[in-house]
């Protein structure tokens, strides 16, 4: 097919080039007036958030050494709008779903629930060597909430193709949100929510919890090596927490963040 905009002569070009040029001018004007307020908004946001500062490294990570220099995957870690997702108050408080009705501990549903709790607790115990964690009974007081539930299927609409994409079912998922503490001088903090499917085997629950807790503790990215717990395909990775996982965690905690600091 010939492109009408390449035809220098003839009816089409003669009458179409004006709307075309007008269109280009309009786009240029829009870009100039759009980008300026966006930049201004970003600057305003920057000014209203706490400045980027590093927190003292927790003792567990100060003591962590890797004499073999096994490397890390720090370059795969994404930044949140508030910087690295670093906890600064220890121990980190977590809430874990537990069965409420223990009248019949032998019931199949209760047994499965208890197995799920055991697997998640095992993953928590593994991470506790590197960052201190403590369980709380009230989810409202928790930094990390761990729910025994099926992660939602987040459908997305692609404006290019006009198609609705429904991803494959996931077995586990971690999300975060930000909030301000209710003090005279509010502090910017974050909260993590981890959803782990009730329908996994005990081994898969352990590996999914280990992987998602890595995200919950701040490793917001994936390794491309199967031997790391944060390997991008958590279903296939049954790896324990690796030296590279901890090297990455330590490097993240050495970075500045806006989290855990007072608003200006
Ligand atoms: Zn992941």
């Amino acid at each position: 097919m010939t492109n009408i905009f390449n035809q220098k002569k003839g009816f089409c070009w003669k009458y179409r080039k004006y709307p075309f040029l007008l269109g280009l001018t309009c786009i240029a004007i829009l870009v100039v007036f759009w980008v300026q307020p966006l930049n201004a908004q970003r600057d305003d946001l920057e000014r209203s958030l706490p400045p980027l500062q590093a927190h003292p490294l927790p003792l567990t990570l100060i003591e962590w050494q890797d004499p073999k220099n096994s490397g890390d995957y720090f370059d795969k870690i994404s930044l949140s709008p508030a910087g690295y997702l670093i906890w600064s108050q220890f121990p980190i408080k977590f809430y874990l779903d537990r069965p409420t009705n223990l009248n019949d501990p032998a019931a199949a549903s209760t047994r499965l629930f208890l197995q799920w709790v055991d697997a998640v607790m095992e993953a928590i115990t593994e991470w506790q060597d590197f960052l201190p964690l403590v369980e709380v009974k009230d989810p409202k007081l928790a930094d990390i909430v761990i729910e025994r539930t099926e992660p939602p299927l987040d459908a997305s609409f692609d404006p290019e193709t006009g198609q609705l994409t429904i991803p494959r079912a996931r077995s586990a998922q971690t999300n975060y949100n930000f909030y301000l503490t209710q003090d005279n001088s509010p502090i910017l903090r974050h909260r993590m929510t981890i959803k782990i499917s009730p329908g996994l085997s005990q081994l898969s629950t352990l590996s999914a919890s280990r992987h998602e807790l890595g995200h919950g503790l701040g490793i917001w990215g994936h390794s491309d090596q199967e031997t790391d717990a944060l390997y991008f395909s958590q279903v296939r990775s049954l790896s324990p927490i690796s030296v590279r996982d901890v090297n990455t965690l330590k490097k993240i905690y050495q970075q500045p963040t806006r989290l855990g600091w007072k608003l200006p």
Side-chain angles (χ1 to χ4, degrees):
M1 215 166 40
T2 45
N3 182 348
I4 53 161
F5 296 120
N6 289 338
Q7 295 169 353
K8 301 254 165 146
K9 289 176 193 167
F11 179 79
C12 290
W13 173 248
K14 196 173 171 185
Y15 287 95
R16 282 179 191 231
K17 68 176 175 184
Y18 298 110
F20 175 64
L21 290 175
L22 191 67
L24 272 185
T25 315
C26 288
I27 289 169
I29 292 169
L30 274 176
V31 166
V32 168
F33 283 93
W34 227 338
V35 168
Q36 272 185 347
L38 273 182
N39 282 342
Q41 269 178 18
R42 205 174 302 134
D43 290 347
D44 282 352
L45 192 69
E46 288 264 304
R47 271 195 293 272
S48 61
L49 288 176
L52 287 164
Q53 297 167 78
H55 289 281
L57 201 59
L59 193 64
T60 38
L61 290 181
I62 292 176
E63 286 170 354
W64 170 257
Q65 301 295 335
D66 169 24
K68 288 186 182 166
N69 288 324
S70 315
D72 57 62
Y73 47 92
F74 178 73
D75 59 329
K76 304 280 192 302
I77 304 304
S78 311
L79 275 171
S80 83
Y84 288 94
L85 296 164
I86 292 169
W87 297 107
S88 53
Q89 284 194 319
F90 300 102
I92 301 160
K93 297 193 264 311
F94 72 89
Y95 170 85
L96 178 63
D97 269 352
R98 286 179 181 271
T100 45
N101 182 7
L102 277 171
N103 289 342
D104 186 7
S109 59
T110 312
R111 222 177 43 241
L112 285 174
F113 203 150
L114 289 171
Q115 280 174 5
W116 181 91
V117 169
D118 282 352
V120 180
M121 280 306 293
E122 195 175 330
I124 290 169
T125 308
E126 289 176 8
W127 279 111
Q128 262 182 328
D129 287 346
F130 312 108
L131 285 174
L133 292 138
V134 68
E135 185 170 359
V136 291
K137 297 290 169 206
D138 182 356
K140 286 196 229 68
L141 300 177
D143 302 312
I144 303 177
V145 174
I146 307 168
E147 298 172 356
R148 184 177 184 257
T149 181
E150 217 68 68
L153 281 175
D154 295 323
S156 61
F157 185 74
D158 186 341
E160 301 296 322
T161 61
Q163 286 191 339
L164 191 68
T165 313
I166 297 175
R168 277 188 305 132
R170 315 175 88 194
S171 51
Q173 190 187 60
T174 304
N175 286 309
Y176 64 80
N177 65 290
F178 301 118
Y179 68 97
L180 291 172
T181 56
Q182 309 277 315
D183 305 323
N184 285 340
S185 34
I187 297 172
L188 180 66
R189 293 205 184 282
H190 69 306
R191 184 176 284 124
M192 290 277 181
T193 306
I194 300 177
K195 295 184 197 305
I196 301 168
S197 166
L200 300 173
S201 71
Q202 204 162 357
L203 192 60
S204 298
T205 307
L206 169 61
S207 79
S209 315
R210 188 190 284 132
H211 179 105
E212 297 305 323
L213 271 163
H215 289 321
L217 295 174
I219 308 178
W220 205 256
H222 286 123
S223 155
D224 52 11
Q225 290 190 19
E226 216 166 328
T227 44
D228 298 328
L230 272 288
Y231 181 53
F232 67 88
S233 169
Q234 46 161 292
V235 182
R236 274 183 288 159
S237 172
L238 296 173
S239 305
I241 300 167
S242 68
V243 173
R244 280 164 41 88
D245 287 322
V246 188
N247 285 347
T248 307
L249 186 74
K250 182 167 180 172
K251 207 156 176 182
I252 291 167
Y253 274 75
Q254 289 167 325
Q255 306 305 313
T257 181
R258 299 182 199 282
L259 294 169
W261 297 108
K262 283 178 190 166
L263 289 194

